[in-house]
Structure formats: C-alpha cells, structure tokens
Amino acid sequence: MLRSILWLPGALMVVAVLLDLIITCIQTGEGRLSRAIHRPLYGLLRRAAQHSGRRALLSWATPLIITGTLTAWTLLTWIGWTLIFWSQPGALVGADSGQPATFIACFYFVGYTISTLGLGEIIAPLPFWRVMTDVAAINGFFLLTFAITFVVPVAQARSERRELALLLHRAGPGAQALIVNAVQDHDRGLSSLTGDLQPLLNRLDSAHLNSPYLHRFHDHDRQDALDLHLPALGEALLIIQGALAGECPRGLKRALASVDSLSRTFERTQARHPLLKGAGVPPQPDLTPLREAGLPLNAPEVFREYLHSHAALRARLHAMARAGAWRWDQVATPEVDERPTD
C-alpha cells in the first residue's frame, strides 16, 4: 500500500525542481529550493573561514554553491522519477528477462533516461509508462538546458564584477583615494567615477537583480573583490555629493542609485546574515586627505547632516564589506602596501 503512493512525493520532487529552475533561471530572483541550498552551504563556508581565520576560504563560495545547486537539482529529479516508476510493480521490466525491475534497477533506468542516454536494458511494457519514460527524458533535457542557463550568466557576471573591482582598485584604492586620484590623474576628473562607470554599474545592477545570489560570491585577491571596492565607490560618491563644495559631476545621482540598488539586493540576499544586522553605520570619514589635496569642502556640520540622511545606505555598504571579511578602514583609507587578508 505504501509503495503504491510513492509516486506522490516523487512527483512533488520533480515539480519542485522544475519550478525552482524556472524561477532561478528565467524569472527575476532566487527560487525557494535554491535558497534552501545556498544558505546552509554559504553559512558552513563562512563559519569555516571565521574559525580558521582564513578569508581565502570565501573564494570557494562560487564553486560550492554552483556544484551544490546542480547536484541537488539532479538528485531530486533522479529520486523523484525513481519513486514514480517504483510505485507501480511491473512498470519497468528487464529487457531480456521480463522480470519486474528492482528499486536499484529503477534508479539505474531513471539515471540513463534523464541523461538521455537511452541504453534500453530496462523497458516499460505498458503504454502509460512508455509515455512517462518520454516525459522523464524530456525533463532530463530541460534540466540540462536550465543548468547551462544557470551557469553561463554566473560566469559572465563574475567577469564583470572583477572588471569593476579591478578598475576601482587601480583608480584608488579606498574611497578618498578614488576622489583624489580622479581629480589629479584622470583627464575626465570626477566624471570618471560617475559617467564612465555607469554602463558597467548598470550591467552589474541588472545581473544582481536577476540573480541576487551573486552577492554570496567572493574573490580571493583584493584587487578582484567587489565586496571591498563597491563600498569604497559608494562612500566616495557620498563624499563627493555631501562634502565637496561646488557643482557635482554629471551622472553622480545615477551612479549612486546603481550602488544603492546593488546594496539593496545584497540586503535581500543576506537578510538573515548576522553581519548585516550587526554592522551598523560606519564612522564619519576623516577628510584630511582631501584637504591636503586642496579640494574645497563644505562645513563639517553640513556633511554630518548629509551622512545622517544616508545612514541606511552606508550601513548596507558596511555590511557588504564585512560579509566579504573586510574591515571598514580597508574600504575608507587602506594602506598603500596592504596585503590581502587570508
């Protein structure tokens, strides 16, 4: 009796994976099943990095999450179809012996069916189960197609994340260094931090809106770390708008809006992360490097009030840096010869 209803949990597994594939790979966001896979894997990796004191372990988040997701999708689909075929004695038989297939034989049959190999060692003698075999094969084809759809955009987004991080690393590093170097060394001045970066910021913002789990990915090297350089860019844009006297460069509001949007997708992805809740608003920056560079500044109380109105954004940027195991001083005014933290 129990065996005859195993098709129900099996069907639920198959449907759950299909829905998760559609939501994760086609619709904007992260499916519930994917989220249930990503969070514990990411949490285990974070705890390992924290206990060992090695930040470099976080760089394994990308292969761990991708491999874990693909493995879970495949296993749930495989087990689901196995339960469906096993629920009916005689649904599958040996091609030569004609004997009903055992559970292991059903598992083997489903494996080569959803992988579209079609070995033919086990067959479905009844028309209904022949049709179900075709459905399982189509399901396997969908699984393979969506797996590629899942991996390829991640690889593209990773490349663009590194591109922006590398640009900011070479332009800075650090929030105030970004400003000083833009004014002194770039022919477009502060516009290099607003208009020039806008297309890349828009692409990254779109990628993270479509795939918010990208915020769980980290890089080993400091120069590639978006979770370090994006907060530095955000802090630099806030300083430009709130602390520098005179007219703001064109494109500043759009660039700041993109940074704000990226920080909000981070908040949505990492909402339960303890670092997000405990990060707090970072201290008001010391603008001595800007004064020494001869840049005109607004009155301190004006800047203080401006930062207060953007406290939520700065708290999210602080949490983003901490999620990547970076300190705020590494974001604001890092030492020139500072080495990456392992």
Side-chain angles (χ1 to χ4, degrees):
M1 177 62 183
L2 178 61
R3 177 177 173 179
S4 64
I5 63 173
L6 287 178
W7 68 269
L8 182 58
L12 290 176
M13 290 183 186
V14 172
V15 171
V17 173
L18 284 174
L19 289 176
D20 197 69
L21 287 169
I22 293 172
I23 294 173
T24 302
C25 300
I26 297 179
Q27 291 187 342
T28 299
E30 183 181 33
R32 292 185 178 182
L33 178 59
S34 295
R35 191 181 304 116
I37 299 167
H38 297 169
R39 283 178 174 173
L41 290 177
Y42 182 70
L44 287 173
L45 191 63
R46 281 213 57 84
R47 283 192 287 273
Q50 185 176 7
H51 292 319
S52 65
R54 293 182 57 83
R55 185 198 165 275
L57 289 177
L58 292 177
S59 64
W60 286 93
T62 304
L64 181 64
I65 289 176
I66 291 178
T67 302
T69 303
L70 297 180
T71 301
W73 283 343
T74 303
L75 284 179
L76 286 174
T77 301
W78 196 340
I79 294 172
W81 278 108
T82 300
L83 293 178
I84 291 173
F85 282 103
W86 171 248
S87 66
Q88 179 61 50
L92 300 175
V93 298
D96 297 328
S97 66
Q99 296 297 314
T102 64
F103 180 82
I104 296 300
C106 289
F107 188 76
Y108 169 63
F109 168 82
V110 170
Y112 71 64
T113 298
I114 64 174
S115 63
T116 65
L117 291 178
L119 298 179
E121 299 177 25
I122 301 171
I123 60 174
L126 301 177
F128 174 79
W129 293 107
R130 291 175 181 173
V131 173
M132 295 305 292
T133 301
D134 294 336
V135 174
I138 295 172
N139 187 183
F141 177 76
F142 277 15
L143 178 63
L144 176 62
T145 303
F146 278 117
I148 297 173
T149 305
F150 173 67
V151 172
V152 172
V154 169
Q156 181 179 357
R158 290 269 294 172
S159 176
E160 292 178 346
R161 282 165 58 96
R162 288 180 172 176
E163 180 182 355
L164 178 60
L166 187 59
L167 284 171
L168 294 174
H169 175 76
R170 291 175 176 173
Q176 296 194 49
L178 285 172
I179 299 173
V180 173
N181 292 340
V183 172
Q184 295 180 345
D185 297 333
H186 202 285
D187 55 356
R188 289 177 53 82
L190 292 176
S191 295
S192 63
L193 299 178
T194 56
D196 290 4
L197 296 179
Q198 189 60 43
L200 184 53
L201 281 171
N202 283 338
R203 290 198 300 271
L204 277 177
D205 188 17
S206 176
H208 286 73
L209 285 172
N210 290 331
S211 307
Y213 50 81
L214 289 171
H215 282 294
R216 295 192 179 99
F217 296 164
H218 304 279
D219 291 277
H220 178 276
D221 296 329
R222 177 191 184 93
Q223 65 180 15
D224 299 327
L226 186 68
D227 46 27
L228 171 66
H229 297 294
L230 186 67
L233 175 62
E235 184 78 346
L237 296 176
L238 290 173
I239 292 174
I240 293 172
Q241 190 173 52
L244 293 188
E247 186 178 356
C248 294
R250 298 181 63 180
L252 176 60
K253 291 183 179 180
R254 285 177 296 170
L256 195 55
S258 294
V259 173
D260 181 73
S261 178
L262 282 163
S263 74
R264 290 180 186 276
T265 56
F266 165 80
E267 183 179 40
R268 184 176 58 178
T269 305
Q270 309 275 41
R272 298 183 181 180
H273 201 294
L275 290 177
L276 183 64
K277 297 179 180 179
V281 182
Q284 180 173 335
D286 179 6
L287 302 181
T288 300
L290 301 185
R291 293 192 185 93
E292 293 177 348
L295 298 180
L297 302 177
N298 291 324
E301 56 272 14
V302 174
F303 183 45
R304 189 181 305 110
E305 182 177 353
Y306 173 83
L307 289 182
H308 180 72
S309 64
H310 292 79
L313 171 58
R314 298 186 75 229
R316 291 194 297 270
L317 295 176
H318 189 194
M320 185 184 297
R322 290 186 62 179
W326 302 104
R327 303 185 311 271
W328 187 252
D329 62 287
Q330 293 176 300
V331 173
T333 53
E335 295 295 331
V336 176
D337 59 347
E338 190 175 5
R339 295 293 184 267
T341 306
D342 285 335

